[in-house]
């Protein structure tokens, strides 16, 4: 594939990338997906809230998506993209020691979750340490849930988990709610525990609580954490496209318009790399939408070239 020209190179083989690739392949575009094989939801056992596919293991869902893309002539290869640069009116994508070229780029590399420095937290991530009430909330309903306050979203997060259980505790950690915030927590029966959280407690491969810096252990069955989310997009630096602060304060993303078009002509973004809160279904839909707009953009270019050639005789 060295130096061959593709209509579109899709960087990232998750829901957004495969959703976009499927739309493009069905439009008879020459599309190549380069997948680093590091899906964000790999620690999770099942995907939830996805229409008609609720409870499907993430690996199975991705395998189905790859088969769909291949069925229509798209290609999916394993590799990590090191950089993307302009190459005339196209792009050169460096990956795996080689280079492929593309007329358009769809970035769907997702994000990295930066967790607070709490002992044992990462080991339980995606199991009984979670962040999204819509992804995993049902599975911890009616259980003792702790919400680790890592930023302004923690208060909102606590109220969302309160919908799922009567036993929700806000672990204040480095913040202390006051005024209307404290009143709202109290009104909903959400207890506030002050003190820095030092570690999670585990017994029999099951979270049993959290340990504060003073040695106090707060018994909990599940712990909700709002990570700082950072777009995986360092390889776009040569194009001048860098992650920017997300308006929500949740982290950094690649800004894009509702169709996925970025500020760099010819480059689109879809999924968590631009929408930090997107679930699997949302990401797949965003990829499909971006794929449709990329195809339309290519068609417009081809129409223009055909008209120019006709006028030139």
């Amino acid at each position: 594939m060295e130096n061959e020209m593709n209509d579109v190179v899709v960087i990232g083989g998750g829901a957004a990338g495969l959703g976009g690739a499927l739309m493009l392949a069905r439009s008879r575009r020459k599309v190549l997906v380069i997948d680093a094989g590091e899906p964000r939801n790999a620690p999770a056992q099942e995907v939830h809230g996805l229409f008609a596919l609720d409870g499907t293991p993430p690996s199975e869902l991705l395998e189905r998506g790859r088969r769909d893309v291949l069925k229509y002539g798209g290609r999916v290869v394993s590799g990590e993209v090191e950089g993307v640069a302009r190459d005339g009116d196209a792009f050169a994508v460096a990956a795996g020691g080689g280079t492929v070229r593309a007329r358009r780029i769809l970035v769907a590399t997702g994000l990295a979750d930066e967790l607070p420095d709490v002992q044992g937290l990462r080991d339980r991530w995606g199991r009984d340490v979670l962040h999204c009430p819509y992804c995993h909330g049902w599975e911890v309903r009616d259980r003792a849930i702790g919400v680790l306050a890592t930023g302004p979203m923690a208060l909102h997060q606590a109220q969302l988990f309160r919908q799922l259980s009567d036993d929700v505790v806000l672990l204040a950690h480095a913040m202390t709610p006051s005024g209307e915030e404290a009143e709202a927590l109290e009104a909903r029966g959400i207890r506030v525990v002050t003190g820095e959280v030092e570690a999670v407690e585990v017994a029999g491969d099951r979270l049993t609580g959290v340990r504060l810096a003073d040695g106090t252990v707060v018994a909990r069955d599940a712990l909700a954490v709002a990570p700082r989310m950072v777009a995986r997009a360092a390889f776009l630096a040569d194009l001048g496209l860098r992650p920017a602060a997300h308006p929500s304060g949740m982290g950094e993303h690649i800004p894009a318009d509702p169709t996925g078009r970025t500020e760099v002509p010819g480059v689109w973004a879809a999924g968590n790399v631009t929408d930090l809160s997107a679930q699997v279904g949302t990401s797949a839909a965003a990829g499909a939408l971006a794929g449709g707009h990329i195809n339309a953009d290519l068609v417009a270019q081809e129409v223009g070239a055909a008209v120019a050639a006709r006028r030139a005789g």
Side-chain angles (χ1 to χ4, degrees), residues 1 8 24 46 116 120 123 171 174 206-207 213 257 260 264 294 311-312:
M1 293 182 289
V8 185
L24 289 159
E46 298 178 339
D123 294 337
L171 300 155
R206 182 175 64 86
L207 186 138
D257 74 8
V264 175
I294 292 171
R311 289 175 178 172

Side-chain angles (χ1 to χ4, degrees), residues 40-47 57-58 125-127 136:
R40 180 191 182 199
N41 63 356
Q45 292 184 339
E46 298 178 339
V47 171
W125 183 241
R127 301 165 69 188
H136 305 291

Side-chain angles (χ1 to χ4, degrees), residues 1-290:
M1 293 182 289
E2 182 75 13
N3 284 318
E4 70 176 32
M5 180 63 78
N6 298 274
D7 287 322
V8 185
V9 165
V10 179
I11 306 174
L18 294 173
L22 179 60
M23 187 66 73
L24 289 159
R26 282 178 52 81
S27 298
R28 307 191 74 174
R29 291 297 177 185
K30 186 176 182 180
V31 57
L32 172 67
V33 179
I34 303 177
D35 182 22
E38 298 176 352
R40 180 191 182 199
N41 63 356
Q45 292 184 339
E46 298 178 339
V47 171
H48 296 124
L50 181 59
F51 173 72
L53 292 169
D54 183 81
T56 305
S59 58
E60 180 182 332
L61 194 67
L62 293 180
E63 180 56 34
R64 291 187 189 183
R66 285 189 286 266
R67 288 201 302 265
D68 285 345
V69 171
L70 296 173
K71 180 172 65 177
Y72 293 105
R75 293 172 299 162
V76 182
V77 299
S78 298
E80 186 166 350
V81 171
E82 291 106 31
V84 181
R86 280 285 181 190
D87 183 12
D89 59 355
F91 300 91
V93 181
T99 303
V100 294
R101 302 173 68 226
R103 298 167 64 192
R104 302 291 187 273
I105 299 291
L106 174 57
V107 181
T109 43
L111 57 82
D113 293 300
E114 296 182 351
L115 297 176
D117 186 19
V118 173
Q119 182 182 336
L121 200 65
R122 174 64 67 177
D123 294 337
R124 309 302 306 178
W125 183 241
R127 301 165 69 188
D128 36 30
V129 173
L130 38 96
H131 81 286
C132 174
Y134 303 109
C135 301
H136 305 291
W138 173 264
E139 284 63 41
V140 297
R141 68 194 185 283
D142 297 327
R143 304 184 73 181
I145 302 171
V147 178
L148 181 60
T150 56
M153 289 299 293
L155 301 175
H156 176 61
Q157 192 178 33
Q159 296 290 1
L160 292 178
F161 275 97
R162 176 62 182 80
Q163 174 67 22
L164 298 159
S165 173
D166 293 336
D167 186 0
V168 176
V169 166
L170 179 72
L171 300 155
H173 197 47
M175 65 179 289
T176 303
S178 60
E180 293 184 0
E181 295 174 343
E183 182 183 21
L185 293 169
E186 184 176 357
R188 293 268 282 172
I190 300 172
R191 183 164 60 95
V192 178
V193 174
T194 58
E196 184 180 352
V197 175
E198 189 173 76
V200 297
E201 295 283 308
V202 178
D205 196 28
R206 182 175 64 86
L207 186 138
T208 59
V210 298
R211 185 174 72 250
L212 305 183
D214 65 4
T216 301
V217 174
V218 181
R220 295 288 91 185
D221 299 318
L223 181 64
V225 181
R228 184 172 184 271
M229 308 176 197
V230 180
R232 295 172 172 166
F235 57 87
L236 296 173
D238 288 344
L239 293 177
L241 195 56
R242 294 178 173 82
H246 193 271
S248 68
M250 294 189 299
E252 297 178 351
H253 72 140
I254 295 297
D257 74 8
T259 72
R261 191 188 299 263
T262 73
E263 63 183 22
V264 175
V267 179
W268 272 256
N272 284 147
V273 74
T274 184
D275 182 357
L276 300 184
S277 62
Q279 292 181 265
V280 173
T282 311
S283 293
L289 178 64

